[in-house]
Amino acid sequence: MRISNRLQALYDAVSPGESVADIGTDHGYVPLMLLQNGISDKVILSDISNGSLAKAMENVKDSGVEIPSECFRIGDGLSTVGFAEVDDVIIGGLGGRTIQMILEENLEKTRTYKKLILQPRNNSGELRYFLYCNGYDIQQEILAEEGKFVCEIIVAVTSSEKRRPAPYDEHDIRWKYPEQMVSCDSRLLSQRIQWRAGRILEQVESLRKSQGSQEERIQRLLEAREYILGLEQRNKKYHAEKTKCN
């Protein structure tokens, strides 16, 4: 089965032996591959759409893999999954705020899953801020190409703290471009950073033409640009040193 780079990255984030609930499973490709390749011995395919779940059921049937009917579930978010029923929860292809709403609907239940594998379409900085404040450590940052887009995948695990104060403001650029991205694919990270750096300069030029004093805002934007360009350089250095070691 050939799948997109985005779905492959979600699949790769699951460790052997971990059970998985795929929320918004659509065609069901990721849980199906996890079973086919012996990575997981239990998967839950959940979707709010009857049509999507029917497609997943058809794909499973065509593959010859047997999945119990009770593993196909219709419902919203994590309402279809029991407390601690699986190790990992995958939520991909939704906006960051929507993913946050799903997770915080019942935080006590959410914390019973060992790993969250999240792929927000947007607002990833806000999602990382939410995860940190609610006691999650980000284990891995992954970038994956899908068509003309570069997708972010956040792998988070529970820490010993249920709540903790954030080290910086929720709008800080470091939530959108965390230092952990130093290990991400260099080409994809550069693509994202160069685009963002260009947009920041456009904002700065616009502010300079506007009325009133905007110096403080301009300074914050330039500092954010300096940070992400520095992250790009640290990323290149990381991979150069890794290549030497190999």
Side-chain angles (χ1 to χ4, degrees), residues 18 23 72 120 127 131 163 174 198-199 203 224:
E18 292 176 340
I23 307 301
F72 296 92
L127 181 57
L131 290 169
R163 289 287 301 175
R174 286 171 287 187
R199 289 297 303 273
Q203 288 178 275

Side-chain angles (χ1 to χ4, degrees), residues 141-187:
E141 293 281 357
I142 306 165
L143 295 179
E145 197 167 27
E146 186 171 56
K148 63 179 181 179
F149 299 104
V150 177
C151 302
E152 299 173 74
I153 295 163
I154 302 166
V155 181
V157 295
T158 54
S159 73
S160 59
E161 302 171 282
K162 288 188 176 181
R163 289 287 301 175
R164 58 189 175 188
Y168 29 83
D169 181 84
E170 63 183 303
H171 302 296
D172 193 288
I173 193 70
R174 286 171 287 187
W175 294 117
K176 179 65 178 173
Y177 292 91
E179 185 64 28
Q180 280 175 288
M181 282 187 171
V182 72
S183 63
C184 287
D185 181 284
S186 287
R187 180 179 64 85

Side-chain angles (χ1 to χ4, degrees), residues 21-59:
D22 187 21
I23 307 301
T25 194
D26 196 30
H27 290 78
Y29 292 141
V30 172
L32 176 55
M33 283 184 58
L34 289 170
L35 281 179
Q36 284 180 317
N37 296 326
I39 302 299
S40 302
D41 58 9
K42 177 183 178 179
V43 294
I44 293 172
L45 298 85
S46 178
D47 207 291
I48 197 171
S49 164
N50 281 285
S52 291
L53 204 60
K55 287 186 292 185
M57 294 175 76
E58 188 66 26
N59 286 331

